[in-house]
Amino acid sequence: MCGIVGAIAQRNVAKILLEGLSRLEYRGYDSSGVAINNEVGVRAHRAVGKVQALKDKFEATPLDGKIGIAHTRWATHGKPTENNAHPHFSGDDLAIVHNGIIENHDKLRNQLKTQGYVFKSETDTEVIVHLIHQELQSEPDFLQAVKNALKYLEGAFAIAVTLNDQNHRLVAARKGSPLVVGIGIEENFVASDQLALLHVTDQFVFLEEGDVVEVTRDGVTIFDSQDVIQERPVHVFNHNVDATDKGEFRHYMMKEIYEQPKVIAACLEGRISENKVLTDCFGADSSFLKNVENVHIVACGTSYHAGMVAKYWIEDLANLPCTVEVASEYRYRKVAVPKNTLFLTLSQSGETADTLAALRKAKELDYLTSLAICNVPSSTLVRESALTLLTNAGAEIGVASTKAFTTQLTALLITAIAIASEKGALSAIKEAELVNSMHSLPAHIDEALKQDVAIKKVSERFANKHNALFLGRGPMFPIALEGALKLKEISYIHAEAYPAGELKHGPLALVDEDMPIISIVPHNSMLDKLKSNLQEVAARGGELYVFADKDAELQNAEGVIFTEVLKVDEILEPIVHVVPLQLLSYHVAVVKGTDVDQPRNLAKSVTVE
Ligand code: HGA
């Protein structure tokens, strides 16, 4: 989603801002812009499309100055046009960039219009800059004028603002959208996430809800939601230099698919011994594991699919009822909370707006405790949850989530086993068996990746397809959902997933020779049932793509395009068998020539509702 970068330095900030925007590209956006202040005034460039288009403008007409703000926009209010791209201005001197949605923008726009303000864009953002301008008419202090204006805003925002006769400071604020401060040497920065600033600093302060910050070259002053000055801890980011580098790979997505053995090992590290889950991985107080009687999982998108797999594990291993719900639904309904229910959220970024809102709602309800399974230690979700299990996947840049998903599954399996064990639902022998299996996960994924070439070949058959149907049973049904989501996200093929048993209740009507049906057929107790479902498809001329192990004896079945997958313990099947589907969607997207890492209309960290 939208990305913000702001900088104040003793050197020209143009390059810093443009590099920051490039580093935010992974979040998904449709246009970008920069405003830079100097003695002459504020000048801006804005461009639709890639950041490169903005860089081209800088090439043609360089801007320079020692303070500036920059933005990648993912349009929510108003089309992705140059006119709607940020920064937005009030008068000639006051500039703003904004991430979020101002919910009462209509009302504010009408009020401002009656006071003579002329709007140049269709964005909700423009009301903020005019409100600040209006405050400046009676409040000469820039910082105070921003604080005053924020009081009128409803909704979510992170903003950075500059005023040209105040070039010694920029003002930024956050409420509902992420913002970090980067601390440099005689230069300081703000950005939507720390990745945007790793080229200039490794020291960060994470702003809290309601914070307003004044950033000068020499320091940073943070005011909390009560307008009290706060010292917040400085975190040193121990980043992996490779995180924003594609290495030998053509796309981040492929790099991240191939990182899975390594990051799953990192996710398991310190969480399991030879034959047990180490319950202190949830923090000092793991008493919830014994006391939990129900689990509510709330998440969005791919994380929601991970939650759906976990439901099978939690009910099967721990014999506890578990519900899984998308956060945007959960947050707006009346929820009945049974006694001793664990509230479990899943989010790669930990900044997903709906998931955060769901957590805040849950904290008002009578839950046992809240646990976040998340990839970003400094995220709002982690900071606001009582307990955390980090997935340790490292920075995920590709919009289509891959390694974040398989590490979430790994963390969820750890959680399910820990609960089952502490509740006495799992014998020590069974726990040892499961944990032993988990130790072989990285090696299994390595093995699964060896099918890359075969899957690439299969993908060529999808070049002219417009639809696809994924089928799965049991915990492989959410994996079918995830396979369909991956395919639609990056190749724009309309894809749906069904529990295989639902086929004849509707989707069978779609099956003809143009409809590819993709099915992962693990060698488990559902094999024979699934084989019957596949017969139903074959009988209607559907093109069947089957991913199964040798023993499933489907390699020579009529009308079947067979890809062999590894035979693994049943509990690991969802984690291992999603890999061929990730590879399939990747190669189909490459065949179709789409933008794999930044698919159209999508954003990585969904920080707006
Ligand atoms: N509402 C603003 C900013 C959108 C945003 O934050 N997207 O992530 C706009 O539409 O310009």
Side-chain angles (χ1 to χ4, degrees):
M1 299 242 121
C2 287
I4 288 176
V5 194
I8 180 160
Q10 272 174 342
R11 49 181 169 150
N12 180 12
V13 293
K15 271 209 178 110
I16 299 173
L17 295 174
L18 288 171
E19 172 63 19
L21 292 186
S22 296
R23 287 167 172 268
L24 288 175
E25 282 192 286
Y26 80 94
R27 294 164 74 98
Y29 67 104
D30 44 56
S31 51
S32 61
V34 171
I36 294 186
N37 303 20
N38 62 25
E39 308 70 44
V40 184
V42 195
R43 288 185 306 154
H45 283 318
R46 296 184 290 182
V48 175
K50 296 286 170 193
V51 169
Q52 187 53 47
L54 188 70
K55 289 184 175 167
D56 292 345
K57 289 198 169 180
F58 268 81
E59 196 68 27
T61 318
L63 306 181
D64 64 89
K66 293 173 181 167
I67 174 168
I69 51 179
H71 192 255
T72 46
R73 174 174 189 245
W74 187 85
T76 65
H77 291 62
K79 293 202 174 69
T81 58
E82 193 169 316
N83 215 35
N84 287 333
H86 303 208
H88 290 289
F89 284 84
S90 191
D92 291 333
D93 291 338
L94 186 66
I96 192 168
V97 289
H98 161 229
N99 173 15
I101 290 175
I102 305 304
E103 284 166 3
N104 57 339
H105 73 100
D106 261 341
K107 192 170 132 224
L108 293 170
R109 180 180 274 254
N110 290 336
Q111 282 168 6
L112 287 159
K113 275 185 178 167
T114 59
Q115 282 148 30
Y117 283 97
V118 178
F119 281 77
K120 297 196 185 100
S121 77
E122 300 158 309
T123 63
D124 50 340
T125 304
E126 203 180 337
V127 300
I128 317 175
V129 72
H130 292 316
L131 278 175
I132 299 170
H133 186 275
Q134 190 187 43
E135 286 300 316
L136 280 166
Q137 308 315 303
S138 53
E139 170 54 70
D141 179 54
F142 173 40
L143 171 66
Q144 190 57 46
V146 174
K147 287 182 187 171
N148 292 351
L150 296 183
K151 295 191 184 125
Y152 298 103
L153 304 179
E154 289 165 20
F157 54 81
I159 57 166
V161 195
T162 56
L163 177 61
N164 202 49
D165 73 352
Q166 298 275 305
N167 283 344
H168 61 287
R169 58 177 171 172
L170 69 81
V171 177
R174 78 156 278 179
K175 186 180 155 243
S177 299
L179 201 64
V180 300
V181 177
I183 311 289
I185 300 166
E186 288 179 45
E187 53 186 21
N188 289 308
F189 316 92
V190 291
S192 297
D193 69 39
Q194 63 268 44
L195 291 182
L197 298 175
L198 290 179
H199 56 306
V200 280
T201 183
D202 60 357
Q203 303 203 19
F204 298 96
V205 174
F206 299 101
L207 296 183
E208 308 259 322
E209 280 300 278
D211 279 355
V212 176
V213 57
E214 180 191 53
V215 185
T216 66
R217 269 191 287 277
D218 312 319
V220 169
T221 314
I222 299 171
F223 302 84
D224 69 10
S225 55
Q226 305 307 311
D227 206 18
V228 176
I229 293 186
Q230 294 289 350
E231 288 288 325
R232 301 230 188 271
V234 178
H235 299 264
V236 179
F237 189 76
N238 184 5
H239 65 276
N240 167 1
V241 281
D242 291 331
T244 55
D245 176 3
K246 287 192 203 109
E248 69 196 86
F249 295 95
R250 190 168 149 198
H251 297 101
Y252 285 115
M253 183 180 175
M254 198 53 150
K255 175 183 175 236
E256 288 157 5
I257 288 175
Y258 271 82
E259 277 173 356
Q260 290 177 111
K262 188 178 84 190
V263 296
I264 287 175
C267 183
L268 291 171
E269 172 87 43
R271 273 85 184 259
I272 52 175
S273 70
E274 209 175 309
N275 47 20
K276 266 191 81 52
V277 166
L278 303 170
T279 51
D280 59 1
C281 65
F282 298 97
D285 184 12
S286 57
S287 59
F288 78 97
L289 295 167
K290 266 201 177 66
N291 299 333
V292 57
E293 288 171 25
N294 280 279
V295 183
H296 282 181
I297 301 180
V298 173
C300 305
T302 287
S303 300
Y304 170 67
H305 297 156
M308 286 177 76
V309 174
K311 176 185 164 73
Y312 288 90
W313 289 336
I314 290 168
E315 299 216 349
D316 180 17
L317 300 174
N319 198 25
L320 293 186
C322 174
T323 65
V324 191
E325 190 168 354
V326 287
S328 53
E329 288 298 315
Y330 176 91
R331 65 181 287 190
Y332 289 119
R333 74 178 182 90
K334 186 163 180 289
V335 181
V337 183
K339 199 162 149 265
N340 289 330
T341 301
L342 169 68
F343 185 75
L344 197 166
T345 52
L346 297 158
S347 165
Q348 189 284 127
S349 67
E351 303 295 347
T352 315
D354 283 321
T355 309
L356 278 172
L359 170 65
R360 288 172 190 151
K361 170 184 174 141
K363 282 164 83 174
E364 303 293 311
L365 300 172
D366 201 12
Y367 279 98
L368 176 65
T369 189
S370 58
L371 168 66
I373 292 186
C374 183
N375 193 30
V376 181
S378 54
S379 63
T380 313
L381 193 72
V382 167
R383 280 182 280 137
E384 294 191 11
S385 297
L387 302 158
T388 304
L389 188 58
L390 292 172
T391 49
N392 296 341
E396 188 178 67
I397 307 283
V399 164
S401 183
T402 52
K403 62 175 180 168
F405 179 67
T406 45
T407 50
Q408 277 176 349
L409 287 176
T410 308
L412 283 163
L413 185 52
I414 291 169
T415 309
I417 295 173
I419 295 174
S421 166
E422 290 293 299
K423 300 283 300 176
L426 201 62
S427 68
I429 294 176
K430 181 73 186 156
E431 180 172 356
E433 255 173 54
L434 293 169
V435 169
N436 279 333
S437 294
M438 290 178 85
H439 280 292
S440 37
L441 253 178
H444 286 339
I445 306 275
D446 239 340
E447 204 54 40
L449 289 168
K450 295 197 176 133
Q451 283 299 57
D452 192 10
V453 177
I455 292 170
K456 183 166 182 237
K457 195 137 187 31
V458 171
S459 72
E460 285 157 19
R461 306 178 68 110
F462 284 72
N464 300 315
K465 299 287 184 211
H466 300 289
N467 299 289
L469 205 54
F470 286 72
L471 299 179
R473 272 183 178 266
M476 298 310 291
F477 164 53
I479 296 304
L481 283 169
E482 177 59 11
L485 179 66
K486 284 292 85 93
L487 191 69
K488 77 177 85 147
E489 277 180 317
I490 59 169
S491 71
Y492 316 146
I493 292 177
H494 168 229
E496 287 189 67
Y498 277 90
E502 278 290 290
L503 197 59
K504 41 185 153 332
H505 297 282
L508 200 54
L510 296 171
V511 173
D512 62 13
E513 56 286 356
D514 287 330
M515 175 68 89
I517 319 282
I518 299 121
S519 185
I520 295 245
V521 190
H523 200 153
N524 63 23
S525 46
M526 301 305 283
L527 177 64
D528 288 335
K529 298 235 175 288
L530 226 148
K531 276 184 168 173
S532 312
N533 300 138
L534 299 184
Q535 287 296 327
E536 292 158 8
V537 173
R540 281 147 190 95
E543 198 174 43
L544 269 169
Y545 293 81
V546 170
F547 294 79
D549 65 65
K550 273 207 264 332
D551 298 352
E553 291 177 356
L554 280 160
Q555 45 276 62
N556 299 320
E558 214 187 308
V560 164
I561 294 141
F562 179 84
T563 306
E564 189 179 332
V565 298
L566 204 63
K567 190 156 188 271
V568 295
D569 289 343
E570 194 165 343
I571 196 82
L572 303 183
E573 282 169 350
I575 312 180
V576 179
H577 294 337
V578 75
V579 175
L581 299 186
Q582 296 169 342
L583 289 168
L584 179 71
S585 57
Y586 172 80
H587 288 301
V588 173
V590 172
V591 168
K592 293 195 90 115
T594 57
D595 189 345
V596 172
D597 285 330
Q598 289 160 30
R600 69 182 182 206
N601 304 340
L602 296 183
K604 180 72 187 161
S605 171
V606 186
T607 53
V608 296
E609 200 181 334

